[in-house]
Amino acid sequence: MRKGRIFTSLITFLAVSFLFFVASPVSAKATGAAPVDAEAMAMAFFPIATHIGAMEGEPPSAAVYQRGRIVGYFLFTRDVVASKGFSGKPFNIALGLALDGTIAGARIIEQHEPILVIGVSAKDLDAFVAQYIGLDIRTPVKVVRTVRNENEVDAVSGATISSVVLSDAIIRSARAVGRVRGVLEGAAIDFDSFTSRDWSSLVDDRSIVSKKISYGRIQAELGSKGASLFPVGASEPEPDALVSEVFVALATPAQIGRNLMGDLEFNSVMGELEDGDQIIFVAGTGLYSFKGTDYRRSGFFDRFQIVQADKTYTVKTSDYRRIDELAVEGPPKLRDKALFILPAATGFDPAKEWRFELIIKGSTPEGRIASAIIPVIYELPEHYRLKSNKTEKTLFGYSLEDMIWVEIWQGRMVDIIIVLAALTCLTIVLFMQDKITMNRHLHSRIRFGFLIFTTVWLGWYAGAQLSVLNVLTFAEALRTGFEWQFFLLEPLVFILWCFVGLTLLFWGRGVYCGWLCPFGAMQELTSKIAKALNLPQLKIPFVINERLWTLKYVVFLLLFAIALGDMTLAQTLSEIEPFKTAVVLHFIRDWRFVIYALLLLSTSLFVERAFCRYLCPLGAALAIPARLRMFEWLRRRWICGTQCAICAGHCPVQAIHPDGHINPNECVNCLNCQVQYFDDQVCPTMVQQRKRREKLAASPAPDLSKIPNPKGEVTP
Amino acid sequence: MTLTSKTVTRRRMIAISAGFAGLGGAAALNQLRPGSQGMRGQIVIHEWRGIALGAETSIKLAHEDRNEVVAVLSRCRTEIDRLEGIFSLYRPDSEIVRLNADGELKGASIDFERCLEEARRVSIMTDGAFDITVAPLWDLYAQGGTIAERRVDEIRSTIDYRSVHLDPGRIAFERDRMAITLNGIAQGYITDRIAELLREYGYSRSLVSLGEFCALEAPEPGSPWKVGIDEPEMQSQEIALENAALATSSAEGLVFKSSSQVDALRASHLIDPRTGKASPLWEQVSVVAPSAARADALSTGLSFIDKTRWADILSRAGAHFALGRAADGKRFRIVSETRLQH
């Protein structure tokens, strides 16, 4: 009884010390929603800014001005994507989006990230978000453990999911605002690259699109309207004769505009433009002028219009810039050349197809005007598009950009394959448990090997430790709106949970706790060391053992109840699991957490898996649904418990009741009892059979038919 | 609003009958193979059907690549949307609505100008039997109720196509309370533009049916597109179309009713701009011309013109021929004089 009391006080000490951590000043509180001075923040993001406009548009954002000129946009991520943090509660990041599509500033305004509550400070999180400043939002940004390439950011260690969710919120909000504000499309074009090019090379790659207009084509249309291009009586040209050749181009990219106009002219025109304004270059050979002369009086060009999708642009005289001389080499003899400005406010998108529609007017004998319309379709050649602007992929009709998990799964393919292979091996071991446990050495080697794998690879390398947090978050998600995407963010955790779901039905909680839980494996290995060193092992009397079992259910239910009310608090308290410290963060953490984890681990030196047995809320959470278990795999004999309790002594977690039945809620499926079951040196029944066999073997006439089959004695 | 729904009915009737008559009832299929004769290679006729301009619409293309067809059809829909944004009386910021409201419009689109120019030409050819300034009378009839002759006369004074000034960069009404409707022509104009767009994208073998028809080259040489003219209680007439357009105006296509629906004033949607009476001479007029806009406007205008003058008008308009049906059901066909000479 004395030993029991010592252990009870140890547990109490652990619980108290845990509470001490929770209450300690280290625990950063989730930042509450403090009133935010958007203007001050926008000024901080854009040092040149003079004032900020109102929040407007859908999604909402505010233009940031420098003396009437827009220099960027300011937005809150929460307004744009109702992105859910780990806790299922939204967080809010203030973002500055520069006109070149880069992030000008990012600061967390509000968050309820559980992962940040302890261990990872608000400072770490701010540092994470600050990595986005200067990043181009059109390129895919990857959250990685160690930055190697451009457009990668370091995940907050131990908070991968949160990092990915934050990243997603930043990128997606900035893109959504960028799209409606015209920042994205504008910036997706390479406006700046320049190499010297001559006219014919610009025409060849369709930087300049040309169209020949034959007399025949025009006259066919005009003629059907009773009109003619030339006055009646004038000599008619051949149908193939060229009325005009029209050239159109988007002149805003330097590659086109600077080559056409030369540095001086290009710079002077560009200097006039507001950001996002576009310039269209039009030139024509031949007799027909696309400008006409009426525009001087009317204020509008009436011989052409520019069409894009469902918009029609009529160009005002004030948006016309004349060019006297082209700087480009080798242009044809041009009758007319002009630049037309399409202001950004018109919504014209240079990245999309548009057409220049030329009207060729003729007249009827009565002097009435009739016209033929000649569209010239222009699409900016592919090489003017920034390469990072990858085409949007879709899966089942959903945009992959919105399915960040797909990228994550692709990136961790090797890890996923290893985990799936390990789970397959484990399944084989479990299905062949008789064969394996008949061989004590094979079993112990497999077990040892797997525990090493679980601790080192699954735990320390992959960080794939399930936690009661997952259960709480899942319950919260069911309550507030379930999203698969959220759970798919961590591929290994997702796969493990799927596997656990199945094994709960087939075997109970044991498969996870005994084989796949890194901290469980760590405890078992610690215990093995202790035993190898011959440290004294505490044997908890069953009565106490059974009472202590209840503790973990209390812990779990408390957490669950608290989670219903205050998720953040529940998540702070779920630090009762040392998983993050011991597994995810490799014991590199605030010393108090390290001490707590080491204390728990060191209990295993004397009481194997004490944490699993008495405290683990995850174990409790798994044990409850494990009551649905549909199979009994562990073999027992009728004498088990009544005449013999050898197995119980070998059970590392004392899950075998004195009456011989194995408590499935406690069993970790280590199969130790099965090894004893088949051992003809240990199990009394087997010993008896062996002796009988030996006796028969010694006797002159062995009667093989009388050797009982051990399987025949199995009780279900 | 009664007006729109009725218009829809008329358009739909024609569109559906066109599908059935012209393509042997197989119009609902997405892919149609052209008739057995002359079929060669992998050419398949693709059809898109949908609602545009408040009417059931279809575009048929003869082409090899289905994916490409889907892409080009989406451009067509965008183009229809753009043109509706110019011509529709039911879009509050369309150019026609702005012109009617202000009596003046500066910097109008080329499309709007061209459509008005074309309307004016047909007005001249038909001596005002087709006139877009008939809009105030439309409104009067659409409001229903008993309409005093005096009121019609009063409004008639605002009706004159010559009072619409088409200056460069500016369109303006000469008189107060004028308004225009492009119901008799915009449908045709849009049909033409879609056909032109298709040709520009390389789809020279297409048939566009947006209330009116515009056919480009035949799907197979020697077997032109076939469309049907809706004739109630009678078998449809089938007309072969190649590089030509067909438009139809029917007297019974739309009937104005009083808002109370009790004291119904039965009148055609076809109003004679010169008399103000909604009583066309012909039950139905179909015109085949080089463009759908012209065919559309002509078919409206010819509804009020004695058939003895048709041949002359048709030849002046460069149209091919016209089909008429009198109130007694008698049908006739007038071929343009220029056409006869060839």
Side-chain angles (χ1 to χ4, degrees):
Chain A
M1 276 305 114
R2 202 180 61 86
K3 281 178 185 171
R5 209 172 300 139
I6 292 170
F7 188 72
T8 317
S9 30
L10 182 62
I11 295 281
T12 319
F13 169 72
L14 285 173
V16 168
S17 57
F18 172 73
L19 284 175
F20 165 71
F21 297 139
V22 171
S24 76
V26 174
S27 59
K29 287 250 162 60
T31 321
V36 178
D37 183 352
E39 181 146 11
M41 204 162 277
M43 298 295 174
F45 289 168
F46 298 94
I48 53 166
T50 50
H51 69 284
I52 172 175
M55 278 286 181
E56 57 191 7
E58 189 51 51
S61 60
V64 180
Y65 296 90
Q66 181 204 20
R67 303 195 195 290
R69 191 188 146 92
I70 294 179
V71 292
Y73 297 95
F74 180 81
L75 61 132
F76 292 109
T77 57
R78 180 153 59 195
D79 293 345
V80 186
V81 263
S83 223
K84 289 185 175 166
F86 196 25
S87 60
K89 279 184 187 151
F91 49 78
N92 201 3
I93 304 167
L95 285 181
L97 175 62
L99 294 177
D100 62 356
T102 59
I103 301 282
R107 193 171 303 156
I108 294 173
I109 303 299
E110 187 188 341
Q111 54 87 10
H112 301 274
E113 283 298 276
I115 220 84
L116 315 161
V117 174
I118 301 177
V120 180
S121 67
K123 218 191 263 171
D124 292 339
L125 190 82
D126 278 328
F128 172 76
V129 167
Q131 294 180 87
Y132 284 81
I133 296 171
L135 278 191
D136 191 324
I137 57 165
R138 294 173 317 252
T139 56
V141 175
K142 262 199 183 142
V143 178
V144 294
R145 286 163 180 232
T146 318
V147 171
R148 282 190 205 91
N149 302 307
E150 263 184 61
N151 277 299
E152 286 184 344
V153 291
D154 270 321
V156 179
S157 71
T160 317
I161 294 185
S162 304
S163 305
V164 169
V165 173
L166 285 172
S167 175
D168 181 47
I170 292 172
I171 295 297
R172 231 188 317 162
S173 319
R175 280 181 185 169
V177 167
R179 231 170 267 138
V180 298
R181 292 292 198 165
V183 171
L184 266 196
E185 278 78 4
I189 292 174
D190 180 3
F191 285 115
D192 305 320
S193 296
F194 176 77
T195 44
S196 183
R197 306 266 302 269
D198 66 4
W199 175 274
S200 60
S201 89
L202 288 171
V203 171
D204 285 346
D205 76 352
R206 299 186 67 77
S207 299
I208 300 173
V209 170
S210 74
K211 182 152 191 164
K212 290 192 167 103
I213 303 161
S214 71
Y215 177 75
R217 158 93 201 260
I218 299 301
Q219 197 47 50
E221 194 171 343
L222 291 179
S224 79
K225 292 169 179 168
S228 159
L229 189 57
F230 299 105
V232 190
S235 66
E236 245 187 80
E238 291 293 303
D240 289 343
L242 213 58
V243 171
S244 179
E245 183 168 11
V246 183
F247 302 93
V248 299
L250 179 76
T252 335
Q255 182 83 268
I256 302 172
R258 192 180 290 277
N259 270 313
L260 283 173
M261 294 174 248
D263 290 353
L264 201 68
E265 194 71 29
F266 183 70
N267 289 345
S268 99
V269 175
M270 291 304 282
E272 278 182 58
L273 298 191
E274 293 283 317
D275 211 279
D277 290 359
Q278 300 298 328
I279 315 170
I280 305 250
F281 167 80
V282 185
T285 65
L287 300 170
Y288 189 80
S289 165
F290 59 84
K291 288 191 295 190
T293 50
D294 288 333
Y295 69 91
R296 297 197 189 108
R297 266 189 303 122
S298 67
F300 292 95
F301 285 92
D302 59 347
R303 289 188 170 190
F304 66 88
Q305 65 186 2
I306 288 159
V307 172
Q308 184 172 58
D310 62 347
K311 290 211 177 74
T312 316
Y313 304 104
T314 312
V315 178
K316 286 195 197 104
T317 309
S318 57
D319 288 329
Y320 159 60
R321 297 290 176 276
R322 56 179 287 172
I323 323 174
D324 296 323
E325 209 59 54
L326 285 184
V328 71
E329 268 184 50
K333 193 165 178 289
L334 299 168
R335 176 201 165 100
D336 278 323
K337 40 198 177 294
L339 296 177
F340 300 109
I341 295 166
L342 287 177
T346 60
F348 179 80
D349 180 355
K352 293 195 183 125
E353 185 186 282
W354 50 273
R355 57 184 199 267
F356 174 83
E357 292 194 332
L358 177 65
I359 306 303
I360 295 200
K361 295 190 180 184
S363 54
T364 60
E366 306 89 52
R368 298 237 68 90
I369 304 279
S371 61
I373 197 158
I374 309 287
V376 185
I377 298 167
Y378 188 90
E379 192 168 12
L380 194 65
E382 207 48 51
H383 63 85
Y384 290 99
R385 287 156 211 276
L386 291 174
K387 283 190 189 68
S388 51
N389 187 26
K390 55 174 190 179
T391 49
E392 201 173 8
K393 289 181 280 184
T394 55
L395 184 72
F396 311 125
Y398 292 98
S399 157
L400 280 193
E401 192 191 320
D402 295 337
M403 301 173 81
I404 44 176
W405 64 270
V406 176
E407 213 168 277
I408 296 173
W409 279 62
Q410 284 165 347
R412 297 194 70 178
M413 204 40 89
V414 176
D415 291 354
I416 289 168
I417 290 168
I418 292 174
V419 160
L420 289 176
L423 294 181
T424 311
C425 288
L426 179 56
T427 312
I428 292 170
V429 167
L430 292 172
F431 277 127
M432 293 178 59
Q433 64 173 51
D434 286 355
K435 280 259 154 44
I436 288 162
T437 49
M438 274 178 206
N439 183 336
R440 183 178 287 269
H441 288 287
L442 180 63
H443 170 261
S444 93
R445 266 185 216 142
I446 288 177
R447 179 115 186 107
F448 185 71
F450 209 93
L451 291 179
I452 293 284
F453 166 80
T454 301
T455 308
V456 177
W457 194 88
L458 203 56
W460 287 334
Y461 166 75
Q465 166 79 61
L466 302 191
S467 155
V468 71
L469 264 183
N470 304 141
V471 179
L472 300 181
T473 316
F474 185 77
E476 171 93 350
L478 288 182
R479 233 155 38 89
T480 58
F482 183 81
E483 253 185 88
W484 275 111
Q485 154 137 323
F486 182 70
F487 294 92
L488 287 163
L489 288 175
E490 278 287 359
L492 300 191
V493 170
F494 183 81
I495 292 169
L496 283 175
W497 270 111
C498 291
F499 186 75
V500 168
L502 282 175
T503 58
L504 275 185
L505 287 181
F506 298 161
W507 285 280
R509 78 173 262 216
V511 176
Y512 181 73
C513 298
W515 294 85
L516 293 167
C517 175
F519 192 71
M522 225 180 279
Q523 289 177 88
E524 193 164 328
L525 291 172
T526 311
S527 170
K528 278 195 199 308
I529 294 169
K531 281 169 192 159
L533 295 174
N534 276 325
L535 290 179
Q537 298 291 304
L538 281 175
K539 201 87 201 152
I540 313 291
F542 194 78
V543 190
I544 294 176
N545 183 38
E546 207 177 11
R547 304 293 182 273
L548 282 173
W549 282 349
T550 59
L551 202 56
K552 60 176 176 290
Y553 294 101
V554 175
V555 172
F556 172 66
L557 286 177
L558 269 176
L559 280 175
F560 194 83
I562 291 167
L564 292 178
D566 184 348
M567 194 66 186
T568 314
L569 177 63
Q571 280 152 342
T572 313
L573 292 171
S574 74
E575 285 282 349
I576 193 163
E577 294 175 336
F579 298 164
K580 200 157 98 184
T581 315
V583 179
V584 180
L585 298 179
H586 313 125
F587 293 101
I588 303 165
R589 207 181 178 185
D590 186 86
W591 63 272
R592 277 164 280 212
F593 288 99
V594 177
I595 300 258
Y596 173 70
L598 286 176
L599 260 174
L600 280 182
L601 199 57
S602 60
T603 55
S604 283
L605 292 171
F606 310 101
V607 181
E608 191 172 344
R609 286 180 178 262
F611 176 75
C612 302
R613 290 155 69 179
Y614 307 127
L615 265 184
C616 181
L618 176 63
L622 293 181
I624 294 167
R627 294 213 71 102
L628 295 170
R629 194 170 49 105
M630 296 184 292
F631 303 95
E632 287 294 346
W633 304 87
L634 300 178
R635 297 176 184 282
R636 306 299 287 152
R637 298 178 205 283
W638 65 271
I639 58 159
C640 293
T642 50
Q643 294 170 18
C644 167
I646 291 175
C647 291
H650 281 87
C651 179
V653 291
Q654 290 180 265
I656 301 176
H657 285 247
D659 69 3
H661 104 266
I662 300 173
N663 188 333
N665 295 336
E666 298 304 321
C667 174
V668 294
N669 238 69
C670 66
L671 303 178
N672 265 359
C673 55
Q674 300 302 291
V675 174
Q676 316 314 322
Y677 178 99
F678 287 118
D679 194 323
D680 58 7
Q681 302 290 337
V682 178
C683 179
T685 309
M686 292 299 283
V687 170
Q688 224 172 3
Q689 282 173 7
R690 176 177 53 86
K691 284 185 177 158
R692 228 183 288 158
R693 226 174 14 241
E694 283 166 0
K695 213 183 280 171
L696 279 168
S699 70
D703 186 353
L704 292 170
S705 67
K706 281 187 181 164
I707 296 174
N709 176 0
K711 288 191 181 175
E713 292 195 35
V714 171
T715 54
Chain B
M1 284 296 126
T2 346
L3 211 63
T4 11
S5 60
K6 291 296 174 186
T7 315
V8 170
T9 321
R10 183 179 79 100
R11 302 296 184 197
R12 182 176 293 145
M13 256 162 46
I14 297 171
I16 291 173
S17 70
F20 286 141
L23 291 136
L29 298 175
N30 279 333
Q31 284 191 10
L32 300 166
R33 297 205 159 260
S36 51
Q37 24 94 247
M39 208 184 82
R40 225 181 304 127
Q42 292 293 93
I43 293 193
V44 173
I45 300 183
H46 299 272
E47 183 186 20
W48 169 77
R49 316 191 105 214
I51 303 287
L53 302 166
E56 193 156 320
T57 312
S58 79
I59 298 171
K60 295 185 184 74
L61 300 172
H63 199 265
E64 293 86 348
D65 185 347
R66 184 170 178 77
N67 288 339
E68 227 186 284
V69 166
V70 170
V72 83
L73 286 178
S74 109
R75 287 191 169 107
C76 289
R77 267 180 286 180
T78 312
E79 178 68 357
I80 292 171
D81 201 32
R82 177 180 80 85
L83 294 166
E84 276 200 294
I86 295 171
F87 296 125
S88 173
L89 284 166
Y90 303 102
R91 296 254 192 118
D93 57 349
S94 71
E95 296 187 10
I96 188 171
V97 167
R98 275 152 51 204
L99 174 63
N100 282 343
D102 304 338
E104 183 191 59
L105 182 67
K106 281 184 176 167
S109 66
I110 300 291
D111 295 292
F112 195 56
E113 282 183 14
R114 290 182 83 219
C115 194
L116 294 188
E117 282 167 7
E118 179 68 9
R120 162 161 307 199
R121 278 189 291 276
V122 178
S123 295
I124 294 169
M125 290 167 205
T126 58
D127 288 328
F130 170 78
D131 192 331
I132 54 172
T133 60
V134 76
L137 271 182
W138 264 72
D139 293 341
L140 186 66
Y141 278 99
Q143 281 157 19
T146 41
I147 295 155
E149 284 291 320
R150 196 180 52 79
R151 187 88 201 285
V152 172
D153 287 342
E154 182 189 312
I155 287 174
R156 262 182 52 210
S157 68
T158 68
I159 296 172
D160 184 0
Y161 65 90
R162 282 166 292 237
S163 300
V164 180
H165 287 282
L166 295 175
D167 298 325
R170 179 175 178 269
I171 300 163
F173 295 150
E174 194 175 89
R175 304 179 201 178
D176 288 343
R177 286 179 297 151
M178 277 183 74
I180 59 164
T181 167
L182 294 172
N183 279 9
I185 187 167
Q187 207 98 20
Y189 182 84
I190 293 172
T191 308
D192 287 335
R193 287 289 338 237
I194 296 299
E196 279 163 22
L197 192 68
L198 287 172
R199 182 163 31 210
E200 198 57 40
Y201 281 112
Y203 293 81
S204 51
R205 288 182 280 184
S206 327
L207 172 72
V208 181
S209 152
L210 292 164
E212 317 303 349
F213 297 93
C214 186
L216 299 177
E217 283 168 37
E220 289 287 318
S223 60
W225 296 100
K226 292 197 170 98
V227 298
I229 300 173
D230 177 59
E231 301 237 4
E233 297 147 36
M234 255 184 272
Q235 270 220 303
S236 278
Q237 271 182 287
E238 208 173 78
I239 292 174
L241 277 188
E242 189 172 351
N243 288 319
L246 167 77
T248 299
S249 291
S250 302
E252 70 286 331
L254 178 130
V255 170
F256 291 113
K257 284 184 178 161
S258 72
S259 48
S260 65
Q261 302 277 321
V262 181
D263 179 25
L265 172 97
R266 286 190 56 89
S268 167
H269 76 294
L270 291 168
I271 301 165
D272 189 335
R274 300 164 303 181
T275 63
K277 294 208 169 65
S279 48
L281 294 177
W282 313 109
E283 283 293 293
Q284 183 173 288
V285 179
S286 301
V287 175
V288 175
S291 78
R294 181 149 299 186
D296 195 6
L298 278 176
S299 69
T300 308
L302 292 182
S303 300
F304 309 107
I305 294 174
D306 191 86
K307 67 181 176 186
T308 54
R309 291 186 51 218
W310 281 23
D312 176 50
I313 290 172
L314 290 172
S315 54
R316 282 214 288 155
H320 301 173
F321 61 89
L323 300 166
R325 181 158 58 80
D328 59 5
K330 257 191 201 142
R331 292 191 272 179
F332 54 92
R333 176 185 171 108
I334 310 271
V335 181
S336 91
E337 283 167 3
T338 39
R339 195 80 177 168
L340 278 174
Q341 285 158 17
H342 286 302

